[in-house]
Amino acid sequence: MVTIIAELPPLRRIDNTSNYLGMISSVADYVTHVDIPDSTFATPSANAVLIGALIRHSYGNVEVIANIRVADHNKVGLTALIMGGLANGVRNYLLMRGDLGPGVTAVPDLTPISAINYLRSIEQVGGARFGISISNFDESYIRERLGVKPDFAMLQYTLSMDDLMRALKVSREFNVDVYPALLIITSKSAKVIGRILNTEVPVKPDPIGDAARRARELLQYFPGVYLSAPGDFDAIVETAKALRQYL
């Protein structure tokens, strides 16, 4: 069985929690994990670990990956947060630096690499799985990140197979499972994807079919993918359904 991860939108308003859980119910049977962002673009959203706990209590058939911005935590706070997550069934944590907006100051204690090294020395968080985000496809950067031997890694946006193959090559050397982003390019998601990639991305006549085709290609090499379509969660659901043969 492969790993199929659905990227959730951040929960920006806490008065629609029931709607948020209802959205997850539409995809829970078609994926192995859901990935919960943590205040993307330095815009506050509900804490990913706490939302992960809510999801785990509501849907026992799907694992969660809680994103953690290490720029927001010192060692004590990070350890306490993960202990609370573990107590609520959240086992997977994706560590990243996090975006810093105007007037936002990073806590200097940790980087994603030093955080993983530190957490592995803490008995209270035994059983947690720590992943790392890879946002640059320079080989030396990938080696530095995977050299810490995370339990998994998630690749940020790219449409370049050369980038992905470079990351795959290094991941095999370090024996780390790496999950690339499957970008589902629709009329709703194309603008944000294009802004992140700093290029215009065309929308194909059949966006779901196009995404499923690219997923099948990626799954020839990688142990899984994560489905991303900013602003178009329906497209993630439909793509997950198209890939259910892999579960």
Side-chain angles (χ1 to χ4, degrees):
M1 186 176 74
V2 302
T3 298
I4 305 292
I5 305 164
E7 181 183 67
L8 301 180
L11 179 60
R12 304 284 192 201
R13 294 176 56 90
I14 60 173
D15 59 356
N16 67 350
T17 305
S18 59
N19 290 340
Y20 195 80
L21 289 175
M23 174 187 67
I24 294 163
S25 71
S26 67
V27 77
D29 290 336
Y30 306 106
V31 298
T32 57
H33 298 67
V34 292
D35 177 67
I36 310 167
D38 186 12
S39 299
T40 54
F41 305 116
T43 302
S45 60
N47 181 277
V49 176
L50 298 183
I51 295 302
L54 182 64
I55 293 170
R56 287 291 290 158
H57 285 295
S58 301
Y59 301 98
N61 64 324
V62 64
E63 291 283 343
V64 303
I65 300 173
N67 293 193
I68 297 180
R69 294 161 42 98
V70 298
D72 298 335
H73 300 281
N74 61 24
K75 292 177 179 178
V76 173
L78 180 62
T79 304
L81 179 64
I82 293 173
M83 287 174 66
L86 285 169
N88 284 279
V90 179
R91 298 189 311 118
N92 306 290
Y93 300 89
L94 181 69
L95 303 177
M96 59 186 64
R97 176 179 177 270
D99 300 316
L100 297 177
V104 178
T105 303
V107 177
D109 276 25
L110 298 164
T111 67
I113 291 173
S114 67
I116 290 178
N117 283 327
Y118 169 72
L119 290 166
R120 287 208 171 123
S121 71
I122 303 300
E123 181 182 356
Q124 294 99 315
V125 297
R129 299 181 71 247
F130 300 116
I132 201 163
S133 175
I134 294 177
S135 58
N136 183 308
F137 291 92
D138 177 77
E139 186 168 332
S140 62
Y141 173 89
I142 299 170
R143 286 184 179 280
E144 180 185 30
R145 291 270 164 146
L146 297 187
V148 74
K149 294 292 186 72
D151 294 296
F152 64 96
M154 295 178 70
L155 306 180
Q156 297 305 305
Y157 283 12
T158 184
L159 289 171
S160 165
M161 282 301 292
D162 288 342
D163 286 346
L164 295 177
M165 291 300 104
R166 192 177 307 116
L168 179 66
K169 174 189 170 186
V170 179
S171 74
R172 287 175 172 171
E173 292 179 24
F174 288 100
N175 195 29
V176 175
D177 285 341
V178 168
Y179 304 115
L182 178 70
L183 302 181
I184 307 167
I185 304 168
T186 70
S187 58
K188 293 181 180 179
S189 68
K191 184 175 180 180
V192 174
I193 292 172
R195 187 178 77 202
I196 294 171
L197 293 177
N198 197 30
T199 187
E200 185 175 349
V201 289
V203 179
K204 298 292 179 65
D206 179 11
I208 305 304
D210 172 65
R213 176 191 60 77
R214 288 185 285 113
R216 286 190 288 269
E217 181 179 3
L218 291 174
L219 291 173
Q220 295 179 47
Y221 305 101
F222 293 91
V225 293
Y226 74 94
L227 314 181
S228 182
D232 195 351
F233 192 73
D234 288 342
I236 289 177
V237 175
E238 292 306 310
T239 303
K241 288 180 179 178
L243 298 176
R244 61 182 175 268
Q245 71 192 77
Y246 290 100
L247 300 182

